[in-house]
Amino acid sequence: MKKAVSILIGLLSLISYGQEVNEDDATSYKKKVLESTEVDFLMSYYTQDGNHAAVSGGQGTEELTDLTPTFVVAVPLNSDDVLTVDAGISAYSSASSSNINPFDSSKPASPYSDSSGASASDVWVGANMGYSHSSDDRNNIIEGHLSVATEYDYFSLGFGGSYTRLFNEKNTEISAKANVFLDTWNPQYPIELRPDFSNNNITGTGTYNPFKYQAFNDENRNSYSLSISVSQILSKKLQASVFIDFVQQEGLLSTPHQRVYFKDQPDFFIDDFQLADDVERLPDTRFKIPVGARLNYFVNERLTVRTYYRFYNDDWGINSHTASIELPFKISDKFTVYPVYRFYTQTAADYFAPYEAHLSTEEFYTSDYDLSKFHSNQYGFGFNYTDIFASMHLWKFGLKSIDFRYGYYDRSDGLSANIFSAGFKFIMD
């Protein structure tokens, strides 16, 4: 399901350091990667609205709400190894996706109102298991993970790993990460394009005949990514990092339930809802390269400046720039507040055109405004409470930190969104 804005959950750090006595030599010590079991409970609530729904060909309501609770559990297996398991759900309701079948409601069908069908809401379920091993000197870290996720129209299996090397007295860090995702669609085509569809209330000139439509033969989508990053402590107050990613996608990259309307074909309606001329058609390969950098400056014991920039390019014709700044200000030893601002701009994909601007002679086409030219601003703030002694308790767990964030997102095509997120970190006594 298309979500116009990626839902952002602020993750808290899962790594802490301690010491334990080496059994072979009571006079020598080795830092533990993780002192005790840690549990993070993360929650986000997201709501958006707009008037360019891709399900109805670039017009209509984009109203959506999403609630996402997630648990992350990190368990130290010994001094060097950590097992991490995270699992979550994403329960959403969407006015636009309900219009995959806009005719199953007692209300007149319209792209600007929701339907009551099965696609009006759904639950995404996902889980990830990771294992990491650190060398005795903590200069080498190897990690591997396996993930699985499912929703009403797709199933995803993922796996990957990473290697991190620290040197120069741990002032320099180089990391390489690789991931593979194997997805299978269960396509949900617009109701009027399905073989069993029949309705006597179609209006228009001539006979409704979506001659370009045919179901996709390949229902798989595979994604492969490689990320390389370098982090360097430049001084006591300055730290910088750079990264580059390579992402290759293959298979069904179109979204089967997103309609397209051609300007050289007649229009047909049921009530106020226009019937599709075809569904979105996009190439079956896509190559992406994001390149970015972070620069963090410690002004004083109260204020830190965190900056981020990313340039993105893909072979669909999209170039984008992202820039953000965050200013954590420490009110006391336990409380920190931070304003956040993010700017984003992108060019349109080669295959994008708005409602009824495509021609039926084209090979590829979409009216998904996520692939259009636009810019956006996101304004927000955060609040963090940290108690390293975890003096507050819930059963056998001490509360180590609380993190809360709010963001308001405004896009130049009229889409706006609000995101609330919170995280609670507990450690086992």
Side-chain angles (χ1 to χ4, degrees):
M1 172 50 51
K2 169 203 163 187
K3 296 179 183 177
V5 183
S6 299
I7 296 179
L8 305 178
I9 303 176
L11 294 176
L12 306 175
S13 171
L14 291 175
I15 305 297
S16 65
Y17 291 91
Q19 291 184 328
E20 72 171 4
V21 176
N22 188 301
E23 295 179 355
D24 297 328
D25 186 354
T27 63
S28 65
Y29 294 86
K30 180 168 69 171
K31 291 182 179 180
K32 297 181 68 175
V33 175
L34 193 65
E35 181 67 29
S36 58
T37 297
E38 296 185 349
V39 177
D40 287 288
F41 174 65
L42 311 173
M43 174 72 76
S44 74
Y45 175 74
Y46 172 85
T47 179
Q48 74 169 42
D49 203 359
N51 55 10
H52 291 297
V55 173
S56 44
Q59 59 173 350
T61 178
E62 294 178 90
E63 183 180 355
L64 179 146
T65 60
D66 185 276
L67 184 66
T68 309
T70 302
F71 280 96
V72 182
V73 181
V75 181
L77 303 178
N78 50 50
S79 297
D80 305 324
D81 303 321
V82 176
L83 177 67
T84 303
V85 179
D86 66 86
I89 63 173
S90 175
Y92 72 85
S93 62
S94 170
S96 61
S97 69
S98 72
N99 284 326
I100 295 174
N101 181 5
F103 313 120
D104 59 356
S105 172
S106 59
K107 300 181 296 183
S110 168
Y112 293 96
S113 64
D114 60 335
S115 178
S116 58
S119 57
S121 62
D122 194 46
V123 175
W124 172 95
V125 180
N128 181 83
M129 178 178 291
Y131 170 85
S132 67
H133 171 78
S134 299
S135 61
D136 287 341
D137 60 7
R138 302 297 182 252
N139 286 331
N140 297 274
I141 304 170
I142 299 174
E143 180 270 344
H145 58 266
L146 178 69
S147 65
V148 62
T150 185
E151 198 176 353
Y152 81 102
D153 62 348
Y154 86 96
F155 175 83
S156 177
L157 178 67
F159 56 91
S162 66
Y163 172 71
T164 301
R165 169 68 176 171
L166 293 88
F167 52 94
N168 189 25
E169 297 183 345
K170 293 184 170 61
N171 289 319
T172 305
E173 178 181 310
I174 297 178
S175 179
K177 301 178 182 179
N179 287 290
V180 175
F181 292 96
L182 308 176
D183 303 342
T184 301
W185 283 89
N186 177 24
Q188 305 295 307
Y189 295 101
I191 187 66
E192 66 270 29
L193 298 178
R194 301 177 191 178
D196 57 351
F197 176 75
S198 62
N199 192 299
N200 296 323
N201 298 318
I202 298 176
T203 60
T205 303
T207 302
Y208 175 57
N209 177 29
F211 69 95
K212 288 207 69 175
Y213 168 75
Q214 59 179 356
F216 293 101
N217 293 322
D218 184 1
E219 298 181 352
N220 297 320
R221 177 181 60 195
N222 299 335
S223 302
Y224 313 92
S225 67
L226 173 66
S227 177
I228 300 172
S229 63
V230 179
S231 177
Q232 177 68 48
I233 298 175
L234 301 173
S235 69
K236 291 183 178 180
K237 292 190 173 184
L238 190 63
Q239 180 181 15
S241 63
V242 295
F243 70 86
I244 183 169
D245 297 343
F246 303 94
V247 182
Q248 176 70 29
Q249 292 183 295
E250 301 173 352
L252 180 51
L253 306 185
S254 307
T255 304
H257 54 253
Q258 294 186 172
R259 294 175 174 87
V260 170
Y261 301 109
F262 300 129
K263 66 180 179 181
D264 59 346
Q265 295 298 309
D267 299 338
F268 294 89
F269 293 85
I270 296 178
D271 297 329
D272 292 325
F273 198 96
Q274 186 173 348
L275 305 185
D277 290 326
D278 197 7
V279 296
E280 174 183 83
R281 304 277 174 184
L282 293 169
D284 57 7
T285 63
R286 189 179 188 183
F287 185 63
K288 312 175 184 180
I289 302 181
V291 181
R294 297 180 184 273
L295 189 67
N296 298 333
Y297 182 70
F298 180 79
V299 179
N300 53 45
E301 61 182 14
R302 293 284 187 183
L303 178 65
T304 303
V305 179
R306 299 175 181 170
T307 61
Y308 171 83
Y309 171 77
R310 187 190 77 158
F311 171 75
Y312 168 92
N313 171 266
D314 68 28
D315 57 2
W316 285 9
I318 294 180
N319 294 317
S320 74
H321 301 270
T322 306
S324 68
I325 184 169
E326 184 176 301
L327 301 172
F329 183 80
K330 190 177 259 317
I331 300 174
S332 68
D333 291 341
K334 293 184 178 181
F335 295 95
T336 302
V337 296
Y338 45 94
V340 180
Y341 172 71
R342 177 181 180 270
F343 175 77
Y344 177 83
T345 182
Q346 75 171 38
T347 60
D350 297 336
Y351 318 110
F352 172 81
Y355 166 73
E356 284 206 329
H358 283 292
L359 293 172
S360 60
T361 54
E362 298 173 18
E363 181 181 7
F364 301 117
Y365 33 82
T366 179
S367 293
D368 184 349
Y369 273 71
D370 283 352
L371 300 176
S372 71
K373 178 183 179 180
F374 68 85
H375 64 268
S376 67
N377 296 280
Q378 183 171 333
Y379 314 89
F381 67 89
F383 169 85
N384 177 267
Y385 164 83
T386 300
D387 178 7
I388 61 174
F389 300 107
S391 55
M392 297 176 61
H393 281 74
L394 180 64
W395 192 46
K396 295 182 179 181
F397 292 90
L399 178 61
K400 186 174 181 180
S401 65
I402 300 174
D403 192 77
F404 171 82
R405 288 194 179 212
Y406 166 75
Y408 173 74
Y409 178 87
D410 181 52
R411 207 160 87 171
S412 57
D413 67 347
L415 184 135
S416 61
N418 294 276
I419 173 70
F420 302 85
S421 62
F424 302 84
K425 179 184 285 293
F426 299 89
I427 59 173
M428 179 177 287
D429 292 340

